[in-house]
Amino acid sequence: NKPERRDHAGKLLIIGGDLHNLSAPASAFEAVKKTGIGRIKIALPDKTKRLVGKTLPEAVFLPSTSTGEFSQEGEIELLDQAVWADSILMPGDNGRNSQTTILFEDILRAYNDLTVLTRDAVDILINNPETMFGRERTTLIVSFAQLQKLVKNYGEPTALTFSMDLVKLVEFLHLFTQKIKASIVTLHQNQLIVAVGGKISTTKVAFDESKHWRLELASTAACYQTWNPLKPFEALIQAVYLQV
């Protein structure tokens, strides 16, 4: 279900970007606005303020490192912004700074509502997958290569390979997502796979990993899961359907 009125369509906080790249949060902003989310804020490092200026009134600027990524000093202010939101979208382009990693880990521990992560927002946490896998109301929109690393770093004995057939991957995700709390969407052999609590959906698509599918899908998924908090599986399937 999609709310008919925008003032009933939820509040979303987008967290991403650094001094050198703002394309992910900018694209996510346009995508969620187009999908129909009610209200949006974008949290950016304060060193980007001179780039954005007054062109983005929805932006809030947080302390940044000397190189322009999010600083750990911004945690309290970011949590204040998170309290305002019904859900969080982390679309990437956040760099790989250790302070940003700690900040993201702390936010995921402190914030209890829906959080959707994709691209290098996942990469920055990939060495500690429990931060994401052990968290309720978490959706990971990941490439197959990212899924491989996450599963390996989590200590799973099953090795995922690009040559494995779809049935074996589906069987693995069926069992794996019964053990973890997070939801997973990935792409393998031109099939978008949704895995939530042991439930699996596969949708054949005409594109492969060369298409930049994760950001758009994560943005759409953040909207539909915000609107349907009790139906995360169905909301993700709807988001996938809108991509094909």
Side-chain angles (χ1 to χ4, degrees):
N1 294 327
K2 179 177 179 178
E4 294 183 3
R5 291 175 49 179
R6 189 171 287 271
D7 59 341
H8 292 168
K11 296 176 290 186
L12 177 68
L13 175 64
I14 299 171
I15 305 171
D18 63 21
L19 180 60
H20 307 290
N21 202 341
L22 294 173
S23 63
S27 297
F29 175 78
E30 293 300 328
V32 298
K33 186 166 65 172
K34 179 181 177 182
T35 304
I37 202 72
R39 297 174 63 190
I40 314 165
K41 287 186 179 181
I42 306 180
L44 302 170
D46 58 14
K47 283 190 180 296
T48 67
K49 191 170 185 177
R50 61 181 175 84
L51 303 176
V52 175
K54 298 180 180 179
T55 61
L56 195 61
E58 296 85 357
V60 292
F61 299 97
L62 305 179
S64 58
T65 65
S66 59
T67 52
E69 295 96 355
F70 286 106
S71 167
Q72 194 178 352
E73 294 176 4
E75 180 179 344
I76 293 176
E77 189 175 349
L78 186 54
L79 278 172
D80 286 342
Q81 297 297 334
V83 168
W84 167 87
D86 297 314
S87 52
I88 288 175
L89 171 60
M90 294 181 168
D93 286 348
N94 40 246
R96 302 291 183 90
N97 189 282
S98 60
Q99 287 198 47
T100 308
T101 302
I102 294 170
L103 176 67
F104 281 16
E105 288 177 342
D106 289 345
I107 291 299
L108 289 179
R109 293 189 187 102
Y111 182 72
N112 296 320
D113 287 325
L114 172 68
T115 303
V116 180
L117 302 95
T118 193
R119 301 174 72 248
D120 58 332
V122 173
D123 290 333
I124 202 171
L125 302 169
I126 211 160
N127 291 325
N128 187 15
E130 174 59 31
T131 303
M132 297 174 284
F133 285 163
R135 185 183 181 278
E136 299 278 2
R137 301 207 66 201
T138 305
T139 296
L140 308 178
I141 312 291
V142 294
S143 68
F144 188 77
Q146 286 179 314
L147 181 62
Q148 280 182 314
K149 293 177 184 177
L150 285 166
V151 168
K152 180 180 179 181
N153 292 344
Y154 194 63
E156 276 294 308
T158 302
L160 304 185
T161 64
F162 280 92
S163 60
M164 72 188 306
D165 63 47
L166 181 65
V167 172
K168 288 186 177 179
L169 179 59
V170 165
E171 290 174 349
F172 169 80
L173 288 173
H174 166 67
L175 297 173
F176 185 64
T177 56
Q178 292 181 69
K179 295 191 293 184
I180 66 172
K181 297 177 180 179
S183 304
I184 294 174
V185 182
T186 193
L187 177 66
H188 184 59
Q189 296 181 353
N190 297 104
Q191 296 273 349
L192 276 171
I193 307 165
V194 175
V196 181
K199 294 186 287 187
I200 306 292
S201 167
T202 63
T203 304
K204 189 171 181 60
V205 294
F207 55 81
D208 57 24
E209 288 287 3
S210 63
K211 182 181 184 294
H212 301 299
W213 59 274
R214 286 175 291 166
L215 180 56
E216 186 175 351
L217 178 55
S219 302
T220 307
C223 296
Y224 276 89
Q225 287 194 301
T226 299
W227 299 330
N228 301 278
L230 300 180
K231 296 182 177 181
F233 183 61
E234 292 85 350
L236 284 175
I237 293 172
Q238 173 67 8
V240 166
Y241 170 75
L242 293 173
Q243 302 301 304
V244 299

